[in-house]
Amino acid sequence: MSFTTMSMFAPRIWGFDPGSPMARVALQAGWRRRDLMWEALMERGCAAWAAGKTRAAGWAFLRARLIASRFATGDLRRAASEAALGVVTRAPGRILRAHAMFARHAEAQIAAMQIAPRARSSLFHLRMEARHRDTYHANMRLRLTRIAGETAACLQEMAQGRAPSHRLHTRWLGEKPVVFDDTRKVLSACLLIPDSLSGGDQGLRRMPI
């Protein structure tokens, strides 16, 4: 497939345009195309689910899981893909597997995160962040550990047929980082999961998931 063809069909099939300014920034920051595709597909799936388009959500999550299979075993995005498919297919076992993956791998992935400097409004803020980098990074890891714990609790609740006690996808809409680093990967894994067990149309039994 040529780059031109990829640019033309990628937004429709994989959810992002590799020629967009955002993609260029992400790739320059060290992200791979699979990272961008996974995030875009999970966003598309969550939006479709919220709009009652269950089948569209299922196909987006299926593509995302295919991409996530290329991530490291302990990558929480694998768990998020499994959880999302569990929600749309009404499969509690999938959601419980995702919960177990969070319990097993969240601490190690958060500890190993590479945290990029954040853009600040002034030189003063940049200097303060550089001076107190260790404290800043520790607080960031503590915050993401708390969010990962909330996600794990939500998965357990949804596996039992209960509504999640914390916001997931709707929280991502406000929390989405502007920096393309490991914190964005972890946060997207924690929050790019449907908030609700109720979607829309049925008929997912024939999907190869």
Side-chain angles (χ1 to χ4, degrees):
M1 177 181 291
S2 69
F3 181 80
T4 301
T5 304
M6 179 68 176
S7 295
M8 185 180 301
F9 292 104
R12 180 170 60 85
I13 298 174
W14 296 110
F16 90 105
D17 180 359
S20 69
M22 183 201 74
R24 289 196 296 270
V25 170
L27 295 171
Q28 289 170 0
W31 274 37
R32 297 163 297 182
R33 287 188 178 186
R34 70 187 69 162
D35 297 318
L36 286 165
M37 288 190 291
W38 183 87
E39 183 183 288
L41 285 167
M42 293 297 288
E43 287 182 326
R44 175 183 292 186
C46 286
W49 180 255
K53 300 175 182 178
T54 308
R55 192 167 184 82
W59 280 115
F61 292 143
L62 179 62
R63 294 188 182 102
R65 191 187 67 171
L66 178 64
I67 293 169
S69 67
R70 302 176 64 189
F71 296 152
T73 301
D75 195 310
L76 295 179
R77 291 173 294 180
R78 295 172 69 118
S81 303
E82 190 74 7
L85 281 174
V87 171
V88 300
T89 60
R90 277 70 167 179
R94 288 185 184 275
I95 304 175
L96 283 175
R97 283 197 295 273
H99 172 270
M101 293 168 71
F102 264 88
R104 190 179 308 124
H105 299 298
E107 182 178 353
Q109 186 173 347
I110 291 171
M113 287 188 313
Q114 297 295 314
I115 304 174
R118 265 48 183 172
R120 297 297 183 184
S121 58
S122 68
L123 183 59
F124 170 79
H125 287 109
L126 287 171
R127 287 174 174 169
M128 288 297 291
E129 181 178 330
R131 183 177 301 174
H132 301 287
R133 182 172 288 112
D134 290 345
T135 300
Y136 174 79
H137 287 186
N139 289 338
M140 177 71 74
R141 287 189 170 89
L142 182 63
R143 180 172 182 270
L144 288 179
T145 297
R146 184 177 67 251
I147 293 174
E150 292 171 353
T151 298
C154 290
L155 294 177
Q156 193 166 43
E157 291 161 351
M158 289 193 289
Q160 297 169 353
R162 295 186 286 132
S165 55
H166 301 278
R167 293 187 300 126
L168 297 171
H169 172 237
T170 53
R171 184 175 180 180
W172 168 256
L173 299 177
E175 292 266 9
K176 185 176 180 178
V178 297
V179 177
F180 290 93
D181 65 356
D182 289 346
T183 66
R184 180 163 173 153
K185 294 177 183 178
V186 171
L187 191 61
S188 64
C190 292
L191 300 181
L192 281 177
I193 300 172
D195 281 297
S196 171
L197 290 169
S198 59
D201 55 294
Q202 301 293 310
L204 293 177
R205 296 180 182 275
R206 293 188 296 276
M207 293 182 67
I209 55 178

PDB file of all heavy atoms in Angstrom, residues 32 34 68-78 101 105 109:
ATOM      1  N   ARG A  32       4.739   5.163  17.637  1.00  0.00           N
ATOM      2  CA  ARG A  32       4.647   4.422  16.390  1.00  0.00           C
ATOM      3  C   ARG A  32       3.229   4.562  15.835  1.00  0.00           C
ATOM      4  O   ARG A  32       2.313   4.959  16.540  1.00  0.00           O
ATOM      5  CB  ARG A  32       4.971   2.948  16.640  1.00  0.00           C
ATOM      6  CG  ARG A  32       6.396   2.711  17.131  1.00  0.00           C
ATOM      7  CD  ARG A  32       6.543   1.347  17.753  1.00  0.00           C
ATOM      8  NE  ARG A  32       5.691   1.220  18.939  1.00  0.00           N
ATOM      9  CZ  ARG A  32       5.644   0.128  19.704  1.00  0.00           C
ATOM     10  NH1 ARG A  32       6.390  -0.912  19.411  1.00  0.00           N
ATOM     11  NH2 ARG A  32       4.849   0.084  20.758  1.00  0.00           N
ATOM     12  N   ARG A  34       1.198   2.297  15.193  1.00  0.00           N
ATOM     13  CA  ARG A  34       0.274   1.420  15.910  1.00  0.00           C
ATOM     14  C   ARG A  34      -0.245   2.092  17.187  1.00  0.00           C
ATOM     15  O   ARG A  34      -1.390   1.861  17.588  1.00  0.00           O
ATOM     16  CB  ARG A  34       0.933   0.082  16.220  1.00  0.00           C
ATOM     17  CG  ARG A  34       2.028   0.129  17.270  1.00  0.00           C
ATOM     18  CD  ARG A  34       2.774  -1.161  17.425  1.00  0.00           C
ATOM     19  NE  ARG A  34       3.585  -1.462  16.256  1.00  0.00           N
ATOM     20  CZ  ARG A  34       4.577  -2.336  16.261  1.00  0.00           C
ATOM     21  NH1 ARG A  34       4.890  -2.990  17.365  1.00  0.00           N
ATOM     22  NH2 ARG A  34       5.276  -2.568  15.167  1.00  0.00           N
ATOM     23  N   ALA A  68      -3.357  -4.076  19.448  1.00  0.00           N
ATOM     24  CA  ALA A  68      -2.821  -4.234  20.803  1.00  0.00           C
ATOM     25  C   ALA A  68      -2.071  -5.551  20.967  1.00  0.00           C
ATOM     26  O   ALA A  68      -1.184  -5.647  21.825  1.00  0.00           O
ATOM     27  CB  ALA A  68      -3.955  -4.151  21.827  1.00  0.00           C
ATOM     28  N   SER A  69      -2.393  -6.545  20.154  1.00  0.00           N
ATOM     29  CA  SER A  69      -1.693  -7.828  20.251  1.00  0.00           C
ATOM     30  C   SER A  69      -0.210  -7.683  19.924  1.00  0.00           C
ATOM     31  O   SER A  69       0.589  -8.567  20.238  1.00  0.00           O
ATOM     32  CB  SER A  69      -2.342  -8.860  19.321  1.00  0.00           C
ATOM     33  OG  SER A  69      -2.152  -8.498  17.952  1.00  0.00           O
ATOM     34  N   ARG A  70       0.172  -6.556  19.318  1.00  0.00           N
ATOM     35  CA  ARG A  70       1.575  -6.300  18.982  1.00  0.00           C
ATOM     36  C   ARG A  70       2.290  -5.522  20.077  1.00  0.00           C
ATOM     37  O   ARG A  70       3.490  -5.292  19.987  1.00  0.00           O
ATOM     38  CB  ARG A  70       1.653  -5.556  17.656  1.00  0.00           C
ATOM     39  CG  ARG A  70       1.003  -6.305  16.488  1.00  0.00           C
ATOM     40  CD  ARG A  70       1.021  -5.480  15.216  1.00  0.00           C
ATOM     41  NE  ARG A  70       2.368  -5.224  14.740  1.00  0.00           N
ATOM     42  CZ  ARG A  70       2.665  -4.389  13.745  1.00  0.00           C
ATOM     43  NH1 ARG A  70       1.668  -3.717  13.141  1.00  0.00           N
ATOM     44  NH2 ARG A  70       3.902  -4.203  13.352  1.00  0.00           N
ATOM     45  N   PHE A  71       1.553  -5.105  21.105  1.00  0.00           N
ATOM     46  CA  PHE A  71       2.175  -4.426  22.232  1.00  0.00           C
ATOM     47  C   PHE A  71       2.778  -5.453  23.186  1.00  0.00           C
ATOM     48  O   PHE A  71       2.472  -6.645  23.121  1.00  0.00           O
ATOM     49  CB  PHE A  71       1.143  -3.575  22.983  1.00  0.00           C
ATOM     50  CG  PHE A  71       0.556  -2.447  22.179  1.00  0.00           C
ATOM     51  CD1 PHE A  71      -0.718  -1.968  22.457  1.00  0.00           C
ATOM     52  CD2 PHE A  71       1.262  -1.858  21.148  1.00  0.00           C
ATOM     53  CE1 PHE A  71      -1.271  -0.927  21.726  1.00  0.00           C
ATOM     54  CE2 PHE A  71       0.718  -0.812  20.401  1.00  0.00           C
ATOM     55  CZ  PHE A  71      -0.549  -0.350  20.693  1.00  0.00           C
ATOM     56  N   ALA A  72       3.611  -4.987  24.104  1.00  0.00           N
ATOM     57  CA  ALA A  72       4.222  -5.869  25.099  1.00  0.00           C
ATOM     58  C   ALA A  72       3.150  -6.534  25.956  1.00  0.00           C
ATOM     59  O   ALA A  72       2.050  -5.993  26.141  1.00  0.00           O
ATOM     60  CB  ALA A  72       5.175  -5.068  25.978  1.00  0.00           C
ATOM     61  N   THR A  73       3.476  -7.686  26.499  1.00  0.00           N
ATOM     62  CA  THR A  73       2.510  -8.461  27.285  1.00  0.00           C
ATOM     63  C   THR A  73       1.925  -7.650  28.431  1.00  0.00           C
ATOM     64  O   THR A  73       0.730  -7.746  28.727  1.00  0.00           O
ATOM     65  CB  THR A  73       3.179  -9.725  27.844  1.00  0.00           C
ATOM     66  OG1 THR A  73       3.668 -10.510  26.758  1.00  0.00           O
ATOM     67  CG2 THR A  73       2.200 -10.548  28.665  1.00  0.00           C
ATOM     68  N   GLY A  74       2.742  -6.838  29.091  1.00  0.00           N
ATOM     69  CA  GLY A  74       2.258  -6.077  30.227  1.00  0.00           C
ATOM     70  C   GLY A  74       1.654  -4.739  29.893  1.00  0.00           C
ATOM     71  O   GLY A  74       1.323  -3.968  30.797  1.00  0.00           O
ATOM     72  N   ASP A  75       1.469  -4.442  28.617  1.00  0.00           N
ATOM     73  CA  ASP A  75       0.911  -3.156  28.200  1.00  0.00           C
ATOM     74  C   ASP A  75      -0.576  -3.109  28.554  1.00  0.00           C
ATOM     75  O   ASP A  75      -1.357  -3.966  28.118  1.00  0.00           O
ATOM     76  CB  ASP A  75       1.109  -2.966  26.693  1.00  0.00           C
ATOM     77  CG  ASP A  75       0.890  -1.533  26.250  1.00  0.00           C
ATOM     78  OD1 ASP A  75      -0.146  -0.943  26.613  1.00  0.00           O
ATOM     79  OD2 ASP A  75       1.750  -0.998  25.525  1.00  0.00           O
ATOM     80  N   LEU A  76      -0.974  -2.115  29.327  1.00  0.00           N
ATOM     81  CA  LEU A  76      -2.361  -2.015  29.778  1.00  0.00           C
ATOM     82  C   LEU A  76      -3.336  -1.772  28.640  1.00  0.00           C
ATOM     83  O   LEU A  76      -4.547  -2.001  28.804  1.00  0.00           O
ATOM     84  CB  LEU A  76      -2.491  -0.901  30.816  1.00  0.00           C
ATOM     85  CG  LEU A  76      -1.742  -1.110  32.137  1.00  0.00           C
ATOM     86  CD1 LEU A  76      -1.951   0.089  33.057  1.00  0.00           C
ATOM     87  CD2 LEU A  76      -2.186  -2.391  32.824  1.00  0.00           C
ATOM     88  N   ARG A  77      -2.853  -1.348  27.485  1.00  0.00           N
ATOM     89  CA  ARG A  77      -3.763  -1.156  26.350  1.00  0.00           C
ATOM     90  C   ARG A  77      -4.322  -2.487  25.856  1.00  0.00           C
ATOM     91  O   ARG A  77      -5.412  -2.530  25.287  1.00  0.00           O
ATOM     92  CB  ARG A  77      -3.037  -0.407  25.230  1.00  0.00           C
ATOM     93  CG  ARG A  77      -2.736   1.051  25.583  1.00  0.00           C
ATOM     94  CD  ARG A  77      -1.885   1.740  24.548  1.00  0.00           C
ATOM     95  NE  ARG A  77      -0.548   1.169  24.475  1.00  0.00           N
ATOM     96  CZ  ARG A  77       0.400   1.587  23.642  1.00  0.00           C
ATOM     97  NH1 ARG A  77       0.149   2.581  22.807  1.00  0.00           N
ATOM     98  NH2 ARG A  77       1.598   1.021  23.642  1.00  0.00           N
ATOM     99  N   ARG A  78      -3.611  -3.562  26.084  1.00  0.00           N
ATOM    100  CA  ARG A  78      -4.169  -4.879  25.774  1.00  0.00           C
ATOM    101  C   ARG A  78      -5.378  -5.162  26.657  1.00  0.00           C
ATOM    102  O   ARG A  78      -6.400  -5.709  26.212  1.00  0.00           O
ATOM    103  CB  ARG A  78      -3.099  -5.953  25.967  1.00  0.00           C
ATOM    104  CG  ARG A  78      -1.934  -5.838  25.010  1.00  0.00           C
ATOM    105  CD  ARG A  78      -0.821  -6.799  25.372  1.00  0.00           C
ATOM    106  NE  ARG A  78      -1.195  -8.185  25.139  1.00  0.00           N
ATOM    107  CZ  ARG A  78      -0.580  -8.996  24.290  1.00  0.00           C
ATOM    108  NH1 ARG A  78       0.441  -8.554  23.559  1.00  0.00           N
ATOM    109  NH2 ARG A  78      -0.962 -10.237  24.157  1.00  0.00           N
ATOM    110  N   MET A 101      -5.476  -8.308  34.337  1.00  0.00           N
ATOM    111  CA  MET A 101      -4.305  -7.716  33.683  1.00  0.00           C
ATOM    112  C   MET A 101      -3.926  -6.391  34.336  1.00  0.00           C
ATOM    113  O   MET A 101      -2.743  -6.090  34.514  1.00  0.00           O
ATOM    114  CB  MET A 101      -4.585  -7.531  32.193  1.00  0.00           C
ATOM    115  CG  MET A 101      -4.725  -8.852  31.435  1.00  0.00           C
ATOM    116  SD  MET A 101      -5.399  -8.646  29.759  1.00  0.00           S
ATOM    117  CE  MET A 101      -4.011  -7.866  28.938  1.00  0.00           C
ATOM    118  N   HIS A 105      -0.270  -5.918  35.998  1.00  0.00           N
ATOM    119  CA  HIS A 105       0.738  -5.164  35.261  1.00  0.00           C
ATOM    120  C   HIS A 105       0.747  -3.651  35.506  1.00  0.00           C
ATOM    121  O   HIS A 105       1.708  -2.980  35.101  1.00  0.00           O
ATOM    122  CB  HIS A 105       0.567  -5.400  33.759  1.00  0.00           C
ATOM    123  CG  HIS A 105       0.723  -6.823  33.347  1.00  0.00           C
ATOM    124  ND1 HIS A 105       1.892  -7.517  33.525  1.00  0.00           N
ATOM    125  CD2 HIS A 105      -0.159  -7.688  32.754  1.00  0.00           C
ATOM    126  CE1 HIS A 105       1.739  -8.755  33.057  1.00  0.00           C
ATOM    127  NE2 HIS A 105       0.519  -8.883  32.599  1.00  0.00           N
ATOM    128  N   GLN A 109       4.070  -1.068  34.867  1.00  0.00           N
ATOM    129  CA  GLN A 109       4.069  -0.181  33.712  1.00  0.00           C
ATOM    130  C   GLN A 109       4.156   1.279  34.143  1.00  0.00           C
ATOM    131  O   GLN A 109       4.862   2.084  33.519  1.00  0.00           O
ATOM    132  CB  GLN A 109       2.828  -0.396  32.850  1.00  0.00           C
ATOM    133  CG  GLN A 109       2.881   0.430  31.563  1.00  0.00           C
ATOM    134  CD  GLN A 109       1.765   0.123  30.586  1.00  0.00           C
ATOM    135  OE1 GLN A 109       1.055  -0.874  30.724  1.00  0.00           O
ATOM    136  NE2 GLN A 109       1.602   0.982  29.597  1.00  0.00           N
TER     137      GLN A 109
END
